[in-house]
Amino acid sequence: MSDDNDSFPQRVWQIVAAIPYGCVTTYGDIARLAGSPRAARQVGGVLRRLPQGSQLPWHRVINRKGEISLVGDSLMRQRDALEAEGIEVSDDGRVSLPQYRWQY
């Protein structure tokens, strides 16, 4: 992979930090940008382990179908955070990727 100063989680954090306000991206997009195109699930794991109160915009990451993958309170937190940025989220937790996807 790469040297110890540039671990996969650190690359994921840097990419997530760069997602612009009002945009979303997918777990797979982040995995590709981090140099591990098959690691979309691992991206989810890295984001799940963020410390409480992290300022990273984790809520801007959704699945490849344009859906929020989380459930329950976490889904509502993510929906609220996206809507606060002007991103429309359907009743079933879908976001229009053609409209809101980050063009990195």
Side-chain angles (χ1 to χ4, degrees):
M1 203 139 53
S2 59
D3 64 40
D4 291 338
N5 299 343
D6 190 25
S7 70
F8 181 74
Q10 287 174 315
R11 292 196 306 274
V12 168
W13 300 328
Q14 289 170 336
I15 294 161
V16 171
I19 304 168
Y21 182 92
C23 293
V24 295
T25 196
T26 67
Y27 296 101
D29 288 345
I30 292 172
R32 268 190 299 287
L33 287 169
S36 301
R38 301 179 61 95
R41 284 181 183 272
Q42 286 85 339
V43 170
V46 168
L47 295 180
R48 243 188 330 275
R49 291 188 293 276
L50 284 174
Q52 192 69 34
S54 166
Q55 296 301 302
L56 273 186
W58 61 270
H59 60 277
R60 297 180 187 150
V61 185
I62 58 177
N63 73 24
R64 64 189 165 93
K65 297 179 196 160
E67 301 166 343
I68 294 174
S69 293
L70 305 172
V71 293
D73 290 345
S74 297
L75 182 147
M76 295 310 295
R77 256 183 41 235
Q78 186 168 11
R79 172 196 299 275
D80 291 347
L82 291 171
E83 289 177 341
E85 294 188 12
I87 297 171
E88 293 174 43
V89 182
S90 70
D91 290 343
D92 59 354
R94 284 183 186 267
V95 172
S96 169
L97 280 174
Q99 187 173 355
Y100 295 106
R101 190 179 217 154
W102 175 34
Q103 302 301 316
Y104 44 84

